[in-house]
Amino acid sequence: MKKNGDRVRLKEGVVNSIYYYKSGNFAPMVYNFNAGPGILPPAVLEQASQAVLDFNGSGFSLLEIGHREAPFVAVMEEARALVKELMQLQSNREVLFLQGGATMQFMQVPMNLLGEDGVAAYTDTGTWSSKAIKEAKVFGHVDVVASEKENGYTSMPASVPCSDTSAYLHITTNETIAGTQWQQIPYQQQVPLVADMSSDVFSRQLDFNRFGLIYAGAQKNTGPAGVTMVVVDPDILGKVQRNIPSILDYRLHIKEGSMLNTPPVFAVYVVLLTLRWLKNEGGVQVMEQRNQQKSDLLYNTIASIPMFHLPVAPHSRSKMNVVFTMKDPELEKRFMQQCKDAGIVGIKGHRSVGGFRASLYNALPLSHVQVLVDVLRDFAQKNG
Ligand SMILES: Cc1ncc(COP(=O)(O)O)c(C=O)c1O
């Protein structure tokens, strides 16, 4: 006889299938709203865990296979091809899987694209773009062409006056901490557009061919931490004079097919599983529809409850990271406790901004947003 709160595994051997029993029903143990590393599809976790024990029936663990052996070379090739397919990239675009996180891209981008006497245009839209700006200044001149600092990073710039002589224009498409997102991408005619898409890549349809370089740490929509995806137009490379260390030279990584040194084998494999899942679900178009539905539900609910506040301007609100606060901070602890009791995790705002943040990455189902919405309404009713 099951009691309320009993842990039950609904399907033997399936990751993320631990549910708890509640009055005749089963509910998942956790609803994962983490900002990153964030939620991954259960099927991906399941297949990844199997590959650790026996990779494709080879009798070896994926962790024991040489990266230059055929089974892993096939993984790398399929992952690259799927990125191209899902983003509908032109054939000349190169897809790389590198290490060092998006943070390394903050310096690798200017090292490869910004000459000592050159000027790169940057938009300052939050914590992540500020970090990118700081690193670029090590390599050349930076022109901050639009900044939202004065507004406390609660909106995205209305215009981007970028000079045609800039080496490139850098944007952060989604500011994970501030909860802002570029709705209209400031595509350029003359200047390569470089984008940090760490927290919204594959979440919406964009004209990915209009970017000179895209980088994204995988640990939100693309897979696990430990690998960073780079999509680059090779025509923008090789234009700076400086000596670039091999491990930081995009051209060498292209030449070696992301195997200049040992790649993060396991992380690349989980990226492949995530990309396969993405394709099976219907691709980026379907993700965009789902993310619109999820974020509409959450924003509309929060906006309808007077005790909560949405600090971000409506036209700049992120569909990936929904940031909200309480008008009476005294109630925050109680709200956190109610979330915890409902199995909601990862809802606490970033330590630099406080409040709350619900991340709605691709793998998060609408039903989980509904759970949060029910908690918000219930809390308001009891404490309003
Ligand atoms: C938009 C954005 N850029 C960069 C980073 C840094 O990524 P990493 O930790 O992979 O260096 C993050 C991390 O959350 C991010 O959200």
Side-chain angles (χ1 to χ4, degrees), residues 101-103 106 128 172 174 176 196 198-199 219-220:
T103 303
F106 294 162
W128 296 113
T172 307
N174 186 75
T176 325
D196 175 358
S198 294
S199 50
Q219 63 271 22
K220 295 149 201 318

Side-chain angles (χ1 to χ4, degrees), residues 110-186:
M111 182 180 263
N112 282 264
L113 301 182
L114 177 59
E116 248 171 65
D117 298 325
V119 180
Y122 273 72
T123 52
D124 174 20
T125 53
T127 307
W128 296 113
S129 54
S130 306
K131 286 179 191 270
I133 289 169
K134 179 168 175 269
E135 297 302 293
K137 284 180 177 168
V138 173
F139 297 95
H141 303 280
V142 170
D143 183 12
V144 177
V145 291
S147 174
E148 292 298 314
K149 198 171 180 181
E150 297 278 287
N151 298 328
Y153 297 124
T154 53
S155 57
M156 281 297 191
S159 65
V160 180
C162 172
S163 157
D164 283 353
T165 57
S166 306
Y168 59 89
L169 168 67
H170 181 281
I171 62 169
T172 307
T173 49
N174 186 75
E175 285 282 358
T176 325
I177 293 175
T180 56
Q181 188 175 29
W182 284 92
Q183 304 303 335
Q184 301 293 329
I185 301 293

Side-chain angles (χ1 to χ4, degrees), residues 23-325:
S23 313
N25 291 313
F26 296 97
M29 287 300 288
V30 288
Y31 302 95
N32 183 356
F33 289 88
N34 271 318
I39 185 167
L40 285 171
V44 167
L45 299 178
E46 171 75 3
Q47 291 161 42
S49 62
Q50 271 168 10
V52 170
L53 299 174
D54 181 2
F55 180 54
N56 284 350
S58 63
F60 284 101
S61 165
L62 170 63
L63 307 181
E64 301 171 316
I65 286 177
H67 60 288
R68 297 196 192 279
E69 287 170 32
F72 186 72
V73 172
V75 166
M76 192 60 113
E77 278 172 7
E78 188 184 341
R80 247 194 313 258
L82 273 175
V83 170
K84 283 191 156 190
E85 185 182 334
L86 289 162
M87 289 185 159
Q88 296 179 13
L89 293 174
Q90 288 165 4
S91 58
N92 79 327
R93 290 302 194 267
E94 298 286 352
V95 179
L96 301 173
F97 294 106
L98 307 178
Q99 301 189 60
T103 303
M104 198 164 90
Q105 294 308 307
F106 294 162
M107 61 86 105
Q108 197 169 352
V109 163
M111 182 180 263
N112 282 264
L113 301 182
L114 177 59
E116 248 171 65
D117 298 325
V119 180
Y122 273 72
T123 52
D124 174 20
T125 53
T127 307
W128 296 113
S129 54
S130 306
K131 286 179 191 270
I133 289 169
K134 179 168 175 269
E135 297 302 293
K137 284 180 177 168
V138 173
F139 297 95
H141 303 280
V142 170
D143 183 12
V144 177
V145 291
S147 174
E148 292 298 314
K149 198 171 180 181
E150 297 278 287
N151 298 328
Y153 297 124
T154 53
S155 57
M156 281 297 191
S159 65
V160 180
C162 172
S163 157
D164 283 353
T165 57
S166 306
Y168 59 89
L169 168 67
H170 181 281
I171 62 169
T172 307
T173 49
N174 186 75
E175 285 282 358
T176 325
I177 293 175
T180 56
Q181 188 175 29
W182 284 92
Q183 304 303 335
Q184 301 293 329
I185 301 293
Y187 294 118
Q188 304 289 306
Q189 294 294 340
Q190 312 289 340
V191 174
L193 182 59
V194 174
D196 175 358
M197 280 194 201
S198 294
S199 50
D200 69 348
V201 68
F202 299 120
S203 73
R204 56 175 170 164
Q205 289 177 293
L206 295 174
D207 190 347
F208 296 104
N209 289 305
R210 293 185 72 184
F211 293 82
L213 190 146
I214 295 166
Y215 61 92
Q219 63 271 22
K220 295 149 201 318
N221 272 338
T222 320
V227 63
T228 307
M229 186 186 76
V230 174
V231 174
V232 61
D233 174 357
D235 291 346
I236 69 172
L237 301 176
K239 301 204 165 138
V240 295
Q241 299 304 320
R242 74 171 57 85
N243 287 324
I244 300 172
S246 305
I247 193 70
L248 293 170
D249 191 334
Y250 292 124
R251 286 170 307 171
L252 287 179
H253 283 290
I254 291 170
K255 188 162 163 257
E256 300 294 336
S258 298
M259 302 249 203
L260 183 66
N261 65 331
T262 314
V265 169
F266 184 65
V268 172
Y269 182 63
V270 182
V271 166
L272 170 62
L273 296 175
T274 310
L275 295 171
R276 280 185 189 158
W277 173 84
L278 202 55
K279 187 180 167 185
N280 282 342
E281 293 293 304
V284 179
Q285 192 185 1
V286 168
M287 293 302 134
E288 177 169 333
Q289 286 161 3
R290 288 184 191 169
N291 292 328
Q292 183 72 49
Q293 235 184 337
K294 290 185 284 179
S295 56
D296 279 352
L297 175 63
L298 189 52
Y299 279 119
N300 291 341
T301 304
I302 297 169
S304 72
I305 305 176
M307 68 164 57
F308 289 103
H309 173 62
L310 291 165
V312 174
H315 63 273
S316 299
R317 284 179 188 158
S318 166
K319 294 183 180 68
M320 292 282 96
N321 312 99
V322 177
V323 167
F324 58 102
T325 57

